[in-house]
PDB file of all heavy atoms in Angstrom:
ATOM      1  N   ALA A 718     -60.955 -11.562 -44.754  1.00  0.00           N
ATOM      2  CA  ALA A 718     -59.894 -11.262 -45.718  1.00  0.00           C
ATOM      3  C   ALA A 718     -60.288 -11.717 -47.122  1.00  0.00           C
ATOM      4  O   ALA A 718     -60.109 -11.000 -48.098  1.00  0.00           O
ATOM      5  CB  ALA A 718     -58.600 -11.949 -45.281  1.00  0.00           C
ATOM      6  N   GLN A 719     -60.852 -12.931 -47.205  1.00  0.00           N
ATOM      7  CA  GLN A 719     -61.184 -13.445 -48.543  1.00  0.00           C
ATOM      8  C   GLN A 719     -62.305 -12.624 -49.173  1.00  0.00           C
ATOM      9  O   GLN A 719     -62.376 -12.467 -50.376  1.00  0.00           O
ATOM     10  CB  GLN A 719     -61.570 -14.918 -48.482  1.00  0.00           C
ATOM     11  CG  GLN A 719     -62.731 -15.228 -47.591  1.00  0.00           C
ATOM     12  CD  GLN A 719     -63.173 -16.678 -47.774  1.00  0.00           C
ATOM     13  OE1 GLN A 719     -63.661 -17.044 -48.826  1.00  0.00           O
ATOM     14  NE2 GLN A 719     -63.000 -17.484 -46.760  1.00  0.00           N
ATOM     15  N   GLU A 857     -84.437 -32.544 -31.931  1.00  0.00           N
ATOM     16  CA  GLU A 857     -83.638 -33.255 -32.929  1.00  0.00           C
ATOM     17  C   GLU A 857     -83.698 -32.541 -34.284  1.00  0.00           C
ATOM     18  O   GLU A 857     -82.676 -32.367 -34.945  1.00  0.00           O
ATOM     19  CB  GLU A 857     -84.132 -34.706 -33.055  1.00  0.00           C
ATOM     20  CG  GLU A 857     -83.517 -35.501 -34.196  1.00  0.00           C
ATOM     21  CD  GLU A 857     -82.000 -35.691 -34.098  1.00  0.00           C
ATOM     22  OE1 GLU A 857     -81.438 -35.472 -33.016  1.00  0.00           O
ATOM     23  OE2 GLU A 857     -81.395 -36.038 -35.131  1.00  0.00           O
ATOM     24  N   GLN A 870     -71.183 -34.355 -31.496  1.00  0.00           N
ATOM     25  CA  GLN A 870     -70.918 -34.070 -30.081  1.00  0.00           C
ATOM     26  C   GLN A 870     -72.211 -33.916 -29.278  1.00  0.00           C
ATOM     27  O   GLN A 870     -72.167 -33.665 -28.062  1.00  0.00           O
ATOM     28  CB  GLN A 870     -70.083 -32.782 -29.943  1.00  0.00           C
ATOM     29  CG  GLN A 870     -68.709 -32.839 -30.609  1.00  0.00           C
ATOM     30  CD  GLN A 870     -67.712 -33.704 -29.847  1.00  0.00           C
ATOM     31  OE1 GLN A 870     -67.912 -34.026 -28.689  1.00  0.00           O
ATOM     32  NE2 GLN A 870     -66.623 -34.085 -30.516  1.00  0.00           N
ATOM     33  N   LEU A 880     -72.575 -21.785 -23.849  1.00  0.00           N
ATOM     34  CA  LEU A 880     -71.143 -21.481 -24.020  1.00  0.00           C
ATOM     35  C   LEU A 880     -70.918 -19.978 -24.157  1.00  0.00           C
ATOM     36  O   LEU A 880     -69.986 -19.420 -23.566  1.00  0.00           O
ATOM     37  CB  LEU A 880     -70.594 -22.215 -25.251  1.00  0.00           C
ATOM     38  CG  LEU A 880     -70.444 -23.737 -25.119  1.00  0.00           C
ATOM     39  CD1 LEU A 880     -70.179 -24.369 -26.489  1.00  0.00           C
ATOM     40  CD2 LEU A 880     -69.334 -24.102 -24.131  1.00  0.00           C
ATOM     41  N   VAL A 930     -80.935 -25.526 -18.215  1.00  0.00           N
ATOM     42  CA  VAL A 930     -80.982 -26.053 -19.586  1.00  0.00           C
ATOM     43  C   VAL A 930     -79.563 -26.280 -20.109  1.00  0.00           C
ATOM     44  O   VAL A 930     -79.207 -27.392 -20.507  1.00  0.00           O
ATOM     45  CB  VAL A 930     -81.772 -25.111 -20.522  1.00  0.00           C
ATOM     46  CG1 VAL A 930     -81.639 -25.564 -21.974  1.00  0.00           C
ATOM     47  CG2 VAL A 930     -83.248 -25.078 -20.115  1.00  0.00           C
ATOM     48  N   SER A 932     -75.987 -24.630 -18.706  1.00  0.00           N
ATOM     49  CA  SER A 932     -75.451 -23.660 -17.753  1.00  0.00           C
ATOM     50  C   SER A 932     -74.607 -22.591 -18.442  1.00  0.00           C
ATOM     51  O   SER A 932     -73.865 -22.917 -19.356  1.00  0.00           O
ATOM     52  CB  SER A 932     -74.599 -24.389 -16.707  1.00  0.00           C
ATOM     53  OG  SER A 932     -73.476 -25.002 -17.327  1.00  0.00           O
ATOM     54  N   ASP A 976     -65.682 -22.098 -35.501  1.00  0.00           N
ATOM     55  CA  ASP A 976     -64.765 -21.584 -36.521  1.00  0.00           C
ATOM     56  C   ASP A 976     -64.567 -20.073 -36.402  1.00  0.00           C
ATOM     57  O   ASP A 976     -63.697 -19.499 -37.045  1.00  0.00           O
ATOM     58  CB  ASP A 976     -65.274 -21.922 -37.925  1.00  0.00           C
ATOM     59  CG  ASP A 976     -64.397 -22.953 -38.609  1.00  0.00           C
ATOM     60  OD1 ASP A 976     -63.247 -23.126 -38.176  1.00  0.00           O
ATOM     61  OD2 ASP A 976     -64.867 -23.576 -39.574  1.00  0.00           O
ATOM     62  N   ARG A 977     -65.395 -19.426 -35.581  1.00  0.00           N
ATOM     63  CA  ARG A 977     -65.190 -17.989 -35.347  1.00  0.00           C
ATOM     64  C   ARG A 977     -64.021 -17.821 -34.391  1.00  0.00           C
ATOM     65  O   ARG A 977     -63.835 -18.623 -33.485  1.00  0.00           O
ATOM     66  CB  ARG A 977     -66.461 -17.377 -34.752  1.00  0.00           C
ATOM     67  CG  ARG A 977     -67.620 -17.543 -35.709  1.00  0.00           C
ATOM     68  CD  ARG A 977     -68.960 -17.305 -35.053  1.00  0.00           C
ATOM     69  NE  ARG A 977     -69.965 -17.986 -35.861  1.00  0.00           N
ATOM     70  CZ  ARG A 977     -71.189 -18.292 -35.446  1.00  0.00           C
ATOM     71  NH1 ARG A 977     -71.592 -17.938 -34.252  1.00  0.00           N
ATOM     72  NH2 ARG A 977     -72.014 -18.928 -36.241  1.00  0.00           N
TER      73      ARG A 977
ATOM     74  N   THR B 475     -57.946 -25.091 -38.674  1.00  0.00           N
ATOM     75  CA  THR B 475     -59.364 -25.279 -38.392  1.00  0.00           C
ATOM     76  C   THR B 475     -59.652 -26.743 -38.092  1.00  0.00           C
ATOM     77  O   THR B 475     -58.942 -27.636 -38.570  1.00  0.00           O
ATOM     78  CB  THR B 475     -60.247 -24.810 -39.573  1.00  0.00           C
ATOM     79  OG1 THR B 475     -61.630 -25.020 -39.230  1.00  0.00           O
ATOM     80  CG2 THR B 475     -59.946 -25.596 -40.840  1.00  0.00           C
ATOM     81  N   LYS B 479     -63.253 -27.709 -44.792  1.00  0.00           N
ATOM     82  CA  LYS B 479     -63.897 -26.880 -45.806  1.00  0.00           C
ATOM     83  C   LYS B 479     -62.937 -26.680 -46.964  1.00  0.00           C
ATOM     84  O   LYS B 479     -61.741 -26.963 -46.843  1.00  0.00           O
ATOM     85  CB  LYS B 479     -64.345 -25.538 -45.218  1.00  0.00           C
ATOM     86  CG  LYS B 479     -63.209 -24.708 -44.630  1.00  0.00           C
ATOM     87  CD  LYS B 479     -63.715 -23.448 -43.990  1.00  0.00           C
ATOM     88  CE  LYS B 479     -64.469 -23.703 -42.712  1.00  0.00           C
ATOM     89  NZ  LYS B 479     -63.660 -24.311 -41.633  1.00  0.00           N
ATOM     90  N   ARG B 481     -62.026 -23.851 -48.560  1.00  0.00           N
ATOM     91  CA  ARG B 481     -61.187 -22.650 -48.604  1.00  0.00           C
ATOM     92  C   ARG B 481     -60.844 -22.213 -47.190  1.00  0.00           C
ATOM     93  O   ARG B 481     -61.664 -22.324 -46.284  1.00  0.00           O
ATOM     94  CB  ARG B 481     -61.925 -21.504 -49.311  1.00  0.00           C
ATOM     95  CG  ARG B 481     -62.367 -21.822 -50.726  1.00  0.00           C
ATOM     96  CD  ARG B 481     -63.062 -20.623 -51.380  1.00  0.00           C
ATOM     97  NE  ARG B 481     -62.118 -19.622 -51.843  1.00  0.00           N
ATOM     98  CZ  ARG B 481     -62.136 -18.352 -51.464  1.00  0.00           C
ATOM     99  NH1 ARG B 481     -63.030 -17.931 -50.615  1.00  0.00           N
ATOM    100  NH2 ARG B 481     -61.245 -17.501 -51.944  1.00  0.00           N
ATOM    101  N   GLU B 484     -59.216 -17.488 -43.617  1.00  0.00           N
ATOM    102  CA  GLU B 484     -58.366 -16.314 -43.495  1.00  0.00           C
ATOM    103  C   GLU B 484     -57.916 -15.786 -44.864  1.00  0.00           C
ATOM    104  O   GLU B 484     -58.052 -14.612 -45.144  1.00  0.00           O
ATOM    105  CB  GLU B 484     -57.147 -16.656 -42.634  1.00  0.00           C
ATOM    106  CG  GLU B 484     -56.325 -15.478 -42.199  1.00  0.00           C
ATOM    107  CD  GLU B 484     -57.115 -14.476 -41.373  1.00  0.00           C
ATOM    108  OE1 GLU B 484     -57.957 -14.915 -40.573  1.00  0.00           O
ATOM    109  OE2 GLU B 484     -56.895 -13.258 -41.552  1.00  0.00           O
ATOM    110  N   SER B 502     -64.648 -21.569 -22.811  1.00  0.00           N
ATOM    111  CA  SER B 502     -65.961 -21.592 -22.171  1.00  0.00           C
ATOM    112  C   SER B 502     -66.378 -23.028 -21.919  1.00  0.00           C
ATOM    113  O   SER B 502     -65.875 -23.954 -22.565  1.00  0.00           O
ATOM    114  CB  SER B 502     -67.008 -20.871 -23.027  1.00  0.00           C
ATOM    115  OG  SER B 502     -68.188 -20.656 -22.267  1.00  0.00           O
ATOM    116  N   THR B 504     -70.065 -25.458 -20.670  1.00  0.00           N
ATOM    117  CA  THR B 504     -71.477 -25.489 -20.311  1.00  0.00           C
ATOM    118  C   THR B 504     -71.861 -26.922 -20.001  1.00  0.00           C
ATOM    119  O   THR B 504     -71.280 -27.861 -20.562  1.00  0.00           O
ATOM    120  CB  THR B 504     -72.360 -24.922 -21.453  1.00  0.00           C
ATOM    121  OG1 THR B 504     -73.735 -24.880 -21.003  1.00  0.00           O
ATOM    122  CG2 THR B 504     -72.300 -25.761 -22.714  1.00  0.00           C
ATOM    123  N   HIS B 507     -78.393 -29.884 -19.950  1.00  0.00           N
ATOM    124  CA  HIS B 507     -79.268 -30.802 -19.213  1.00  0.00           C
ATOM    125  C   HIS B 507     -80.386 -31.376 -20.059  1.00  0.00           C
ATOM    126  O   HIS B 507     -81.059 -32.303 -19.645  1.00  0.00           O
ATOM    127  CB  HIS B 507     -79.856 -30.078 -18.005  1.00  0.00           C
ATOM    128  CG  HIS B 507     -78.816 -29.659 -17.014  1.00  0.00           C
ATOM    129  ND1 HIS B 507     -78.318 -30.492 -16.052  1.00  0.00           N
ATOM    130  CD2 HIS B 507     -78.135 -28.480 -16.886  1.00  0.00           C
ATOM    131  CE1 HIS B 507     -77.400 -29.850 -15.349  1.00  0.00           C
ATOM    132  NE2 HIS B 507     -77.259 -28.631 -15.843  1.00  0.00           N
ATOM    133  N   ASN B 529     -60.635 -23.137 -33.085  1.00  0.00           N
ATOM    134  CA  ASN B 529     -61.472 -23.368 -31.912  1.00  0.00           C
ATOM    135  C   ASN B 529     -62.275 -24.633 -32.141  1.00  0.00           C
ATOM    136  O   ASN B 529     -62.644 -24.948 -33.273  1.00  0.00           O
ATOM    137  CB  ASN B 529     -62.432 -22.195 -31.685  1.00  0.00           C
ATOM    138  CG  ASN B 529     -61.692 -20.927 -31.305  1.00  0.00           C
ATOM    139  OD1 ASN B 529     -60.563 -20.974 -30.828  1.00  0.00           O
ATOM    140  ND2 ASN B 529     -62.323 -19.795 -31.534  1.00  0.00           N
ATOM    141  N   ALA B 563     -63.636 -37.163 -31.126  1.00  0.00           N
ATOM    142  CA  ALA B 563     -62.748 -36.590 -30.121  1.00  0.00           C
ATOM    143  C   ALA B 563     -63.512 -35.929 -28.984  1.00  0.00           C
ATOM    144  O   ALA B 563     -64.570 -35.342 -29.169  1.00  0.00           O
ATOM    145  CB  ALA B 563     -61.832 -35.568 -30.796  1.00  0.00           C
TER     146      ALA B 563
END
Side-chain angles (χ1 to χ4, degrees):
Chain A
Q719 58 171 293
E857 172 62 16
Q870 299 287 343
L880 289 168
V930 172
S932 63
D976 249 341
R977 299 165 202 162
Chain B
T475 180
K479 59 184 71 63
R481 302 181 78 237
E484 192 60 37
S502 192
T504 184
H507 296 276
N529 293 338

